């Protein structure tokens, strides 16, 4: 009978680091007290739907600010002024750039396709750099120049991100910050 208790004890001890990782998500989330909270470790099951397939598209309060060409996506009190994902899976701001010439790339996939894994099964820890060039797991990316203002609070050497395919903009991916619940458009720069 003792070997079974030993096996149970080993399994419990082995599961403690996993539980610890998911109990404290590092804070930084933007709580609203409802199911539309942002950040705090929430990871969307999938990327945004293609904008042309949306029956009801959320319309962010996107208005260019005076000092730069960025839009505000604060749709609720306490939410960030950046594209973000509600904890109910709603991608706020994704359809904002549809038809925008800034999303056109003369050479999409110039450095190949990212093949490291997409979605919630592949959470990547940022390894360094900054918006112009950052990396994780030997993969290199660059934030779109028009989205740089939305990632000023990212921790480039320790935040966890998830990469999603962008269904509306050829050559772009979406890098979702798990701690903050915000995302930016990125291009793959290779290995």
């Amino acid at each position: 009978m003792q070997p079974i208790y030993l096996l149970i004890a080993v399994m419990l001890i082995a599961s403690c680091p996993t539980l610890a990782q998911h109990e404290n998500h590092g804070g930084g989330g933007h709580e609203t007290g409802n199911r539309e909270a942002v950040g705090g470790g929430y990871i969307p099951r999938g990327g945004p739907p293609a904008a042309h397939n949306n029956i009801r598209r959320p319309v962010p309060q996107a208005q260019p600010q005076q000092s730069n060409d960025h839009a505000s996506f604060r749709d609720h009190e306490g939410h960030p002024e950046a594209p973000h994902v509600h904890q109910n899976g709603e991608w706020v701001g994704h359809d904002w750039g549809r038809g925008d010439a800034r999303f056109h790339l003369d050479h999409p996939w110039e450095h190949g396709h990212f093949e490291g894994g997409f979605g919630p099964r592949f959470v990547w820890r940022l390894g360094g750099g900054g918006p112009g060039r950052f990396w994780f797991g030997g993969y290199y990316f660059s934030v779109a120049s028009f989205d740089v203002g939305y990632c000023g609070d990212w921790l480039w050497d320790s935040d966890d991100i998830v990469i999603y395919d962008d269904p509306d903009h050829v050559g772009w991916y979406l890098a979702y910050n798990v701690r903050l619940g915000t995302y930016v458009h990125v291009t793959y720069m290779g290995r």
Side-chain angles (χ1 to χ4, degrees), residues 23-24 27 36 42 47 55-56 64 71 74 84 108 119 121 135 170:
E23 287 299 315
N24 180 2
E36 294 179 341
Y42 170 75
I55 294 171
R56 181 188 87 52
R74 181 173 289 177
H84 59 277
R121 290 184 39 221
W135 55 88
V170 176

Side-chain angles (χ1 to χ4, degrees), residues 13-23:
I13 291 171
S15 68
C16 286
T18 303
L19 291 173
Q21 286 178 353
H22 295 288
E23 287 299 315

Side-chain angles (χ1 to χ4, degrees), residues 40 56 65 84 89 94 114 124 129 143 147 149 153 186 188:
R56 181 188 87 52
Q65 297 171 348
H84 59 277
H94 181 257
F114 173 63
W124 301 96
V143 174
D147 274 1
D153 51 355
V186 298
Y188 178 60

